[in-house]
Amino acid sequence: MAHTQLSVSDLKRSRDFYHRILHQTFGVTIQYDDAATYYCTGWRTGIVIREVREANRGVGFAQRRAGLHPFCFRLRSREDIERLHEALVDMGAAVIRAPRPAPWAPGYHCVLREDPDRTGLEAVFRPDAGNLGIIKDRPVTAPMT
């Protein structure tokens, strides 16, 4: 994946939120940081944050409406999941799911919060290849949640 762009209602508020997570917590590189764009690169991809047009500022995100949900990162360890969770708690991010194991793949461990626009922000750790290590001739069945 080359990059993902998040359209946000308030660039400064979201810039501060994602700067804390992306740059301060995980050390990704800031490529652009100006009045129109906050763009970080790391994990072999880019994350772009830009403000929506004025006409769309009052429209918040809804999980079951068309759009990105969740914005999910794959982290390298359960400790990274906990470190992200601590940063999100410190920032007052809304809790959807505290860190826990989940049935999506062997060893899957995740946390799910909301960013300032209520977009789901998830981070997962799964050892090895996850489901790629067990898929043989057809997709696995998704667990019901």
Side-chain angles (χ1 to χ4, degrees):
M1 186 178 294
H3 68 270
T4 298
Q5 179 173 314
L6 294 176
S7 296
V8 300
S9 63
D10 181 330
L11 181 60
K12 181 184 178 339
R13 178 181 68 180
S14 292
R15 182 252 181 237
D16 293 348
F17 181 87
Y18 282 102
H19 179 80
R20 170 88 185 265
I21 294 166
L22 299 173
H23 183 67
Q24 292 178 334
T25 303
F26 293 110
V28 300
T29 301
I30 300 169
Q31 186 166 341
Y32 303 116
D33 189 2
D34 57 40
T37 306
Y38 184 72
Y39 184 14
C40 294
T41 56
W43 303 305
R44 297 185 179 181
T45 192
I47 299 163
V48 184
I49 300 170
R50 300 200 66 187
E51 197 165 78
V52 297
R53 291 187 175 112
E54 183 72 35
N56 295 323
R57 290 212 181 120
V59 180
F61 180 80
Q63 289 184 26
R64 296 297 177 194
R65 192 169 56 209
L68 177 70
H69 177 75
F71 184 37
C72 185
F73 299 91
R74 183 172 179 184
L75 299 181
R76 296 175 194 252
S77 68
R78 286 184 180 199
E79 292 78 21
D80 284 344
I81 298 288
E82 295 299 329
R83 189 163 46 135
L84 174 61
H85 177 67
E86 288 171 14
L88 291 166
V89 166
D90 188 54
M91 290 187 294
V95 176
I96 299 172
R97 187 178 312 126
R100 67 175 178 125
W104 298 104
Y108 195 99
H109 195 80
C110 64
V111 62
L112 181 59
R113 300 291 222 159
E114 289 183 344
D115 79 358
D117 284 305
R118 301 195 60 225
T119 300
L121 176 67
E122 183 176 16
V124 304
F125 166 71
R126 62 176 201 249
D128 306 318
N131 282 341
L132 296 177
I134 61 174
I135 294 171
K136 303 296 180 212
D137 59 347
R138 64 178 186 262
V140 297
T141 303
M144 299 301 290
T145 59

